[in-house]
């Protein structure tokens, strides 16, 4: 029975570069060299075979795929494989090698094999990050051979990817499954810096095209929350206006938190009985908040610009209600309450109708007046207190707030067990 060599590679640092000009999406085909060893690859079940008149002598396993290849082309370009003391298989039909922790999919390794055999290789924004990480893993350096894959992938990143907004976004998204290699090689950081440099320009002109403020929102909204935070932080550090950062955050929330558009308020007034049905799960068409969404909410609140004009009052109320549904930390909820209190003049009665959520595992309240009040009056009380504290240092606005609270109290009076008598300001 064959015993494959299992190998684990350590993390490796990478180089650094950045690009500027905006260009169209492109790819590079590395020209092939005359090579009599192989013509192409063909797949049989879970194995890839090199088509050649010379018998293969090496089996390499990447995840669940086996590659039947020749040892020499790989040793000639991969310093890592060249250093291994490959042991012959028991059947004496060659050598077996299993690559553990290989950064990338089997398709990435197939491209590397093509490069080693001198077959044409297509570098593009979809495969460049995995290839850069894999070439580092296999030590495909210039010391092993001139014009090796590390140098070619670095050149493609520098001169093609980082000069294109679209390509940089695609490459950054592809790095989500390449941790820690993409981080150690500074691919993520360089992508974030490139995106931030382009987005920080309020008006960018290329030829006859003019990109107005906020043209970059859709692109960064496709990123995972970790990368979005890094990009937004980098853009903010370049002096971008707080209201632009706020609009970007609200745009991201609209994409990744669709339940924000579902009214987290109360329904059923005027029909003879009180009704409130809000769920932490998906049953009965309720509101479902996943662990990922909880992370998104907490992360977005953490990067909200401190300026009052950065985001709208309605957005803050929506975030507050969702934070209560997911049982966010008291510190996060308190921060949102303070932010809302500073902008209370812009609130509506519907904003103040905050259901009384019990906890993350029990947010279903239906027709049980003997046990629950439908409204969370304590939250509104704290918001008003924050407003009064803020008002002492700002222009007076109590007259407008008084009218808002009168309408609010009239609305919650429809709840027979509401504690409206305890609400004071």
């Amino acid at each position: 029975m064959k015993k494959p060599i299992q190998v684990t590679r350590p993390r490796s640092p990478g180089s650094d570069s950045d690009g500027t000009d905006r260009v169209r999406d492109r790819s590079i085909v590395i020209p092939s060299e005359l090579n009599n060893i192989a013509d192409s690859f063909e797949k049989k079940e879970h194995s890839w075979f090199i088509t050649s008149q010379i018998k293969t002598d090496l089996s390499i396993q990447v995840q669940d795929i086996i590659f039947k290849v020749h040892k020499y082309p790989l040793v000639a370009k991969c310093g890592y494989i060249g250093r291994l003391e490959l042991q012959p298989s028991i059947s004496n039909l060659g050598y077996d090698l299993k690559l553990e922790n290989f950064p990338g999919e089997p398709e990435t390794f197939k491209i590397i094999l093509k490069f080693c055999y001198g077959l044409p290789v297509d570098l593009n924004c979809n495969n460049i990050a995995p290839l850069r990480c894999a070439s580092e893993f296999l030590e495909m350096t210039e010391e092993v051979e001139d014009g090796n894959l590390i140098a070619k992938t670095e050149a493609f990143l520098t001169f093609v990817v980082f000069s294109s907004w679209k390509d940089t976004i695609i490459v950054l998204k592809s790095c989500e499954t390449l941790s820690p290699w993409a981080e150690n090689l500074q691919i993520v950081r360089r992508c974030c810096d490139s995106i931030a440099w382009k987005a920080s320009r309020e008006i960018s002109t290329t030829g006859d095209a003019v990109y107005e403020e906020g043209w970059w929102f859709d692109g960064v909204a496709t990123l995972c929350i970790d990368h979005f935070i890094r990009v937004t932080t980098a853009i903010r550090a370049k002096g971008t206006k707080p209201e632009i950062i706020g609009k970007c955050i609200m745009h991201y929330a609209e994409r990744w938190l669709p339940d924000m558009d579902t009214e987290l308020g109360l329904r059923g007034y005027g029909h003879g009985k009180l009704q409130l049905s809000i769920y932490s799960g998906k049953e009965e068409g309720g509101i479902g908040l996943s662990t990922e969404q909880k992370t998104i909410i907490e992360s977005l609140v953490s990067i909200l610009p401190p300026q009052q004009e950065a985001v709208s009052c309605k957005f803050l109320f929506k975030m507050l209600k969702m934070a209560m549904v997911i049982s966010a930390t008291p510190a996060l909820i308190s921060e949102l309450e303070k932010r809302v209190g500073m902008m209370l003049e812009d609130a509506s009665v519907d904003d103040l109708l905050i259901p009384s959520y019990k906890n993350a595992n029990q947010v279903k309240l239906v027709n049980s007046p003997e046990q629950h009040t439908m409204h969370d009056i304590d939250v509104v009380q704290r918001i008003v207190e924050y407003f009064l504290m803020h008002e002492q240092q700002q222009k007076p606005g109590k007259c407008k707030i008084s009218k808002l609270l009168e309408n609010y109290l009239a609305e919650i009076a429809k709840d027979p067990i509401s504690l409206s008598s305890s609400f004071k300001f």
Side-chain angles (χ1 to χ4, degrees), residues 26-42:
R26 288 173 287 177
S27 65
I28 290 179
V29 177
I30 299 176
S32 62
E33 300 175 357
L34 293 177
N35 195 317
N36 296 324
I37 297 180
D39 298 320
S40 62
F41 284 88
E42 62 180 42

Side-chain angles (χ1 to χ4, degrees), residues 162-174:
F162 297 142
S163 61
S164 165
W165 167 266
K166 179 181 178 182
D167 287 355
T168 307
I169 292 289
I170 293 174
V171 169
L172 183 54
K173 286 178 62 63
S174 71

Side-chain angles (χ1 to χ4, degrees), residues 174-188:
S174 71
C175 291
E176 295 175 7
T177 58
L178 294 172
S179 181
W181 286 89
E183 287 284 356
N184 296 337
L185 294 172
Q186 302 294 312
I187 301 175
V188 172

Side-chain angles (χ1 to χ4, degrees), residues 113 349 417:
L113 288 178
V349 173
I417 61 168

Side-chain angles (χ1 to χ4, degrees), residues 203-220:
I203 298 180
S204 172
T205 304
T206 304
D208 296 329
V210 177
Y211 299 91
E212 298 294 344
E213 219 171 40
W215 60 267
W216 46 274
F217 288 176
D218 287 339
V220 298

Side-chain angles (χ1 to χ4, degrees), residues 162-306:
F162 297 142
S163 61
S164 165
W165 167 266
K166 179 181 178 182
D167 287 355
T168 307
I169 292 289
I170 293 174
V171 169
L172 183 54
K173 286 178 62 63
S174 71
C175 291
E176 295 175 7
T177 58
L178 294 172
S179 181
W181 286 89
E183 287 284 356
N184 296 337
L185 294 172
Q186 302 294 312
I187 301 175
V188 172
R189 184 191 64 76
R190 287 183 283 169
C191 284
C192 291
D193 288 347
S194 177
I195 293 170
W197 185 87
K198 296 176 178 64
S200 61
R201 294 177 295 177
E202 294 187 1
I203 298 180
S204 172
T205 304
T206 304
D208 296 329
V210 177
Y211 299 91
E212 298 294 344
E213 219 171 40
W215 60 267
W216 46 274
F217 288 176
D218 287 339
V220 298
T222 64
L223 301 174
C224 69
I225 185 62
D226 290 339
H227 291 167
F228 175 79
I229 295 296
R230 292 182 61 169
V231 167
T232 305
T233 302
I235 295 173
R236 186 173 172 180
K238 293 185 179 297
T240 303
K241 297 177 182 178
E243 55 267 33
I244 298 300
I245 298 296
K247 289 178 182 178
C248 178
I249 293 173
M250 290 189 288
H251 189 83
Y252 188 89
E254 289 175 2
R255 179 185 177 95
W256 292 92
L257 301 173
D259 291 331
M260 286 191 67
D261 294 329
T262 303
E263 192 64 40
L264 295 183
L266 304 178
R267 292 291 180 266
Y269 292 139
H271 295 281
K273 64 178 181 179
L274 301 172
Q275 293 180 343
L276 168 60
S277 183
I278 299 179
Y279 303 88
S280 60
K282 289 291 186 181
E283 70 268 38
E284 299 184 30
I287 297 171
L289 295 177
S290 64
T291 302
E292 179 186 18
Q293 289 177 312
K294 180 177 180 179
T295 301
I296 291 173
I297 293 171
E298 294 174 341
S299 299
L300 293 182
V301 173
S302 71
I303 63 168
L304 286 174

